[in-house]
Amino acid sequence: LISSHSSKEDFAQHELEILKKVIKLNMVLQNSSDRQTMITLFRKMTLRIKAANPALPKYQDFIQELFSYFMKCFFQDASFSRRSIALECLQNCNLHFDDIINAQKTEENAKILVNCFHDSFERNKAVALEILKFFPCQATKLNNEQTVQKTLEFTLELTRSVKPPDSISAGYFIKYLSLAPTLSKVQLLEILLQELKFQKSQAEMDLGAASLKTPMY
């Protein structure tokens, strides 16, 4: 359905309906090459829609419905395949149909993506961050000093975690906070360096105690 002799060939309405069904039925592909094939085809599809006429109501409805569906793929116990494909497709929608999905860049969806910083796969953390860069401050609340301060405190707690993966999550929260207009990057780095220097000093005094409270992963 997606392959065509012309990159501008229009999709028929019934073809879009079939594509929606196929996408939703193939969100849990176990083989990595199959997942990559699906993501590649999705990108090819979006480029063809963009070259045709994305302003058409049928395309606007199609993209909005898919974006909404992908945002619902991060429920508890959702498989890696589902999360990974959803994030890659969301990022693709952001890149090509930013204006069409603008209304769906809500506070609720921003929270869902921020929660992806805890994903066990780093690629998913990175893609979630890239998607959030397209969200307005009204949705991320990064223009709210209290929200930024609360997120910063939580991030510093992650740097003190005894779980090594939490330090990687902390790194993505730091990158996310660097987008906040209420906190300069210089301030953010100074706060982070101060915390890391404190953790280092604790380790120099008592390595055993530091391993419990300030492991510095």
Side-chain angles (χ1 to χ4, degrees), residues 13-215:
Q13 182 63 51
H14 73 275
E15 290 179 321
L16 294 177
E17 294 302 321
I18 293 170
L19 285 169
K20 276 191 290 190
K21 290 179 181 178
V22 171
I23 289 169
K24 292 177 182 180
L25 286 169
N26 287 276
M27 293 296 291
V28 288
L29 298 171
Q30 298 302 312
N31 191 296
S32 60
S33 63
D34 289 339
R35 289 196 298 271
Q36 193 56 51
T37 298
M38 182 172 171
I39 292 166
T40 301
L41 283 169
F42 187 87
R43 289 172 181 161
K44 190 174 181 179
M45 179 193 73
T46 55
L47 287 172
R48 186 171 147 191
I49 290 173
K50 189 176 180 180
N53 186 1
L56 290 175
K58 66 177 179 181
Y59 289 138
Q60 297 218 354
D61 291 344
F62 178 71
I63 295 299
Q64 288 169 359
E65 184 179 333
L66 281 180
F67 190 91
S68 178
Y69 170 76
F70 292 137
M71 286 303 313
K72 294 174 182 174
C73 288
F74 305 100
F75 52 85
Q76 189 175 3
D77 298 327
S79 68
F80 162 69
S81 173
R82 186 181 295 277
R83 301 193 314 272
S84 179
I85 292 173
L87 284 166
E88 296 287 351
C89 292
L90 284 169
Q91 185 185 32
N92 199 253
C93 289
N94 259 331
L95 289 171
H96 299 295
F97 309 112
D98 188 48
D99 53 336
I100 295 176
I101 50 142
N102 197 48
Q104 297 189 59
K105 294 175 184 176
T106 61
E107 184 179 350
E108 180 184 358
N109 283 341
K111 287 179 179 177
I112 291 171
L113 291 167
V114 168
N115 198 47
C116 289
F117 294 158
H118 298 290
D119 198 286
S120 53
F121 295 88
E122 190 168 358
R123 170 65 185 172
N124 287 353
K125 300 176 198 277
V127 176
L129 178 63
E130 290 304 309
I131 297 168
L132 282 163
K133 290 179 180 179
F134 287 86
F135 274 59
C137 284
Q138 291 83 350
T140 61
K141 299 299 179 184
L142 287 176
N143 58 347
N144 183 295
E145 289 187 12
Q146 289 183 329
T147 300
V148 170
Q149 183 59 36
K150 187 176 179 181
T151 305
L152 179 58
E153 290 171 2
F154 174 71
T155 301
L156 294 177
E157 284 180 18
L158 285 176
T159 71
R160 305 178 195 121
S161 172
V162 296
K163 300 176 182 177
D166 284 346
S167 64
I168 300 173
S169 296
Y172 281 91
F173 272 100
I174 288 291
K175 292 177 183 179
Y176 177 61
L177 284 169
S178 72
L179 305 174
T182 59
L183 182 66
S184 74
K185 290 185 179 181
V186 173
Q187 286 177 302
L188 183 59
L189 285 172
E190 285 178 347
I191 293 169
L192 181 61
L193 283 170
Q194 185 178 359
E195 173 63 32
L196 295 177
K197 285 177 181 177
F198 167 73
Q199 292 188 28
K200 180 174 177 288
S201 68
Q202 295 300 297
E204 288 172 342
M205 286 191 294
D206 188 336
L207 199 58
S211 67
L212 295 174
K213 296 182 179 179
T214 56

